Amino acid sequence: MKVIEAKQDLRQALANVKKDERTIGFVPTMGFLHDGHISLMRRAREENDIVVASIFINPAQFGAGEDLDVYPRDRQGDCEQMINAHVDIAFLPDVETIYPEGFNTVVEVEGQMTQVLCGQSRPTHFKGVTTVVAKLLNLVSPDRAYFGQKDAQQISVVRKMVKDLDFNVQIVDCPIVREPDGLAMSSRNAYLTPEQRGNAPVLFQSLCSAEEMIADGERSAAVIVNAIEKRIHTVENAVIDYISIVNTNTLQELDTIGGSTLIALAVKFGKTRLIDNIRLEI
Ligand code: PAF
């Protein structure tokens, strides 16, 4: 695996790949890799000739008072995991490389898609995500880019940007990878105290109960949201940020459940904000 930090080295390393018309699969990450990330790399490995993965903790997608300074890092461990996942190129730029002095451009998907769900409590988050993803897609020019379904809103927003700006890339979304007790894998799980970690599986449990209610015929979004809320409140110190039922593609709120449905939630355990979701076709 080649470890590359500079943009010109990345371009050089990819020049021959492109000349030979070999396909490139790209996995953008913020590092502190877990099996969720590795599943994206393995999928990219299966579907492409060359796999590029990036690690960049993107300051632009963290709001004031969020966890940028303490975001977990493990460069050596990450590199070992990427080697095991048969990544060809690890792109590890620093902040100056991505945002050089004088950088003054943003890419933003405007409108309700970035204002709902996580956008309500993280109003600048998606602007940071689309700006860095646009830059990374331009640098790597992949045929396919891989994202985890845990960040369902991120996938919808990135797809919209790719469509609106005619990026020539296929966005591939991959299933959530969960711990044995159902907790969705996330680098932020590392922040949880043992007690919070014990309580956190309630998120997935509440989503599974919602799925059962829908399978039994319930179609009122309000009734389902209420049931999820009650279930989450069976554990102590879980503070709900949002529970929303939306159309998967448009992220428009649904009153009556039907079609391509995303049930998404964000809940805080202490300072740690966790997200989870399920997607249903009804
Ligand atoms: O999902 C993430 O880890 C980040 O939002 C991404 C896509 C790497 C952009 O910084």
Side-chain angles (χ1 to χ4, degrees), residues 55-110:
I55 296 180
F56 178 64
I57 301 176
N58 174 31
Q61 69 188 75
F62 289 78
E66 289 186 356
D67 55 344
L68 173 62
D69 294 340
V70 294
Y71 197 84
R73 291 148 217 251
D74 179 10
R75 182 180 162 124
Q76 200 188 323
D78 286 349
C79 284
E80 281 163 19
Q81 292 204 65
M82 287 191 285
I83 290 169
N84 289 338
H86 304 289
V87 168
D88 298 295
I89 296 176
F91 180 48
L92 276 54
D94 62 13
V95 175
E96 266 300 294
T97 301
I98 295 295
Y99 300 119
E101 213 185 309
F103 182 88
N104 209 13
T105 301
V106 294
V107 178
E108 183 169 18
V109 173
E110 292 184 325

Side-chain angles (χ1 to χ4, degrees), residues 245-263:
I245 303 186
V246 298
N247 174 278
T248 305
N249 305 311
T250 62
L251 303 185
Q252 219 128 37
E253 196 93 26
L254 299 175
D255 292 329
T256 304
I257 294 168
S260 197
T261 303
L262 176 74
I263 309 182

Side-chain angles (χ1 to χ4, degrees), residues 28-30 58 61 129 132-133 147 151 154:
T29 81
M30 297 207 300
N58 174 31
Q61 69 188 75
V129 170
V132 83
V133 171
F147 292 84
D151 297 296
Q154 171 169 276

